[in-house]
Amino acid sequence: IGAIKDLIAAYKDENNNNILHLAANLAPLSRLQIVSGAALQMQRELLWFKGVEKIVPPSYIKMKNSDNQTPKDLFTEKHKELLKEGEKWMKSTATSCMLVATLIATVVFAAIFTLPGGPNNDTGVPLFLGKRWFLIFVISDAVALFSSSASIVTFLSILTSRYAENDFLVSLPARLLFGLSALFVSIATMVIAYAAAISMIYDHKHVRIPIVIVLLACVPVTLFAWQHFHLWADTIRSTYWSRFLFQPKHRLYH
């Protein structure tokens, strides 16, 4: 097997394209669609190219073919459109998610100043201060505010990125993963805060009402998780697992 690897790694065709030149070509659509989104497809292409780069002789990395192109030049040319599509997809996703995160931050920020039950007219202390649900409400609201704020900042950093080729390798997907995770936490904790507020108001009076509302509150969280699970899972696989998918155990040339 080692001899075959050496032979393949040292391969050159009639146009003086080595194996790294061949790896620089755009993958077929059927292979690109293994992962969702043009940005993750660009990341997969970069991982494949850099994986092949590790097994070829060092001289092959800068070798030019008959068109006077190095493998890197060829990769840039062949992936020009995918790079543009990846930038467009990433910006569109970040914009949509940032809008949702901004709405959540606005709601939970206002909620902390309009506490359920209001304050005591004489002391100004919240009426439900000693209740367990009040503590749950405050903590959940605070977590929702902080996580949505973190999500906003993360998606903003995606929008202002320079979108160079190497940014699609780790930087942009990692930011997207963190932003989606923070957004999910903010949605979940916002719903928990709402359920806690309802439970405080109807505590011991109408037991069924809080239960029904809590069950209904789980619907948007479940929908968000279900609709974005594939994107979240693809991002994790592409960013952290696929980095080792194309990584050889031993370099053939030193």
Side-chain angles (χ1 to χ4, degrees):
I1 296 178
I4 296 176
K5 283 185 177 181
D6 290 345
L7 182 62
I8 294 174
Y11 169 81
K12 286 192 294 184
D13 65 10
E14 64 276 6
N15 295 318
N16 206 36
N17 289 307
N18 61 46
I19 189 174
L20 193 55
H21 281 100
L22 301 180
N25 286 294
L26 186 65
L29 187 61
S30 59
R31 297 297 302 172
L32 289 176
Q33 291 179 340
I34 291 177
V35 292
S36 56
L40 298 183
Q41 292 170 3
M42 183 66 186
Q43 181 194 41
R44 183 61 67 93
E45 289 290 278
L46 282 165
L47 287 169
W48 169 245
F49 181 77
K50 290 187 177 296
V52 175
E53 191 178 54
K54 293 179 183 295
I55 68 170
V56 299
S59 60
Y60 277 32
I61 296 175
K62 297 295 183 180
M63 180 182 290
K64 294 184 178 182
N65 59 14
S66 57
D67 294 324
N68 201 34
Q69 288 181 310
T70 64
K72 183 62 177 175
D73 294 336
L74 184 60
F75 181 90
T76 300
E77 178 187 329
K78 295 293 185 179
H79 293 80
K80 188 182 301 182
E81 291 301 319
L82 184 60
L83 183 67
K84 292 180 181 178
E85 291 175 10
E87 179 179 350
K88 182 180 178 181
W89 180 87
M90 188 67 78
K91 284 184 175 180
S92 175
T93 304
T95 300
S96 301
C97 292
M98 189 170 71
L99 176 61
V100 176
T102 302
L103 291 174
I104 293 174
T106 303
V107 170
V108 297
F109 181 80
I112 202 66
F113 295 104
T114 55
L115 297 172
N120 187 300
N121 292 329
D122 297 327
T123 62
V125 177
L127 293 175
F128 295 125
L129 182 60
K131 292 195 174 185
R132 178 186 58 182
W133 286 113
F134 182 82
L135 180 61
I136 295 175
F137 169 81
V138 172
I139 294 175
S140 300
D141 192 83
V143 173
L145 178 61
F146 297 146
S147 57
S148 60
S149 299
S151 181
I152 292 171
V153 173
T154 302
F155 288 124
L156 183 61
S157 71
I158 292 177
L159 292 174
T160 56
S161 176
R162 59 178 184 160
Y163 289 96
E165 282 182 1
N166 287 333
D167 289 340
F168 286 90
L169 193 59
V170 176
S171 176
L172 287 173
R175 293 183 207 176
L176 178 63
L177 179 62
F178 179 80
L180 287 173
S181 300
L183 181 59
F184 175 77
V185 171
S186 65
I187 293 175
T189 49
M190 179 186 67
V191 170
I192 292 173
Y194 174 76
I198 294 297
S199 298
M200 275 189 287
I201 296 173
Y202 291 99
D203 192 22
H204 301 306
K205 295 180 181 179
H206 305 281
V207 179
R208 292 183 180 179
I209 293 178
I211 294 176
V212 172
I213 292 177
V214 168
L215 292 175
L216 291 175
C218 293
V219 174
V221 180
T222 305
L223 282 175
F224 179 85
W226 177 64
Q227 292 176 352
H228 292 81
F229 175 76
H230 290 295
L231 174 60
W232 188 78
D234 283 345
T235 306
I236 289 181
R237 282 197 298 265
S238 296
T239 305
Y240 298 106
W241 182 73
S242 294
R243 292 173 64 184
F244 304 99
L245 185 63
F246 306 117
Q247 185 173 350
K249 293 182 179 179
H250 302 287
R251 188 182 179 97
L252 297 180
Y253 298 90
H254 301 278

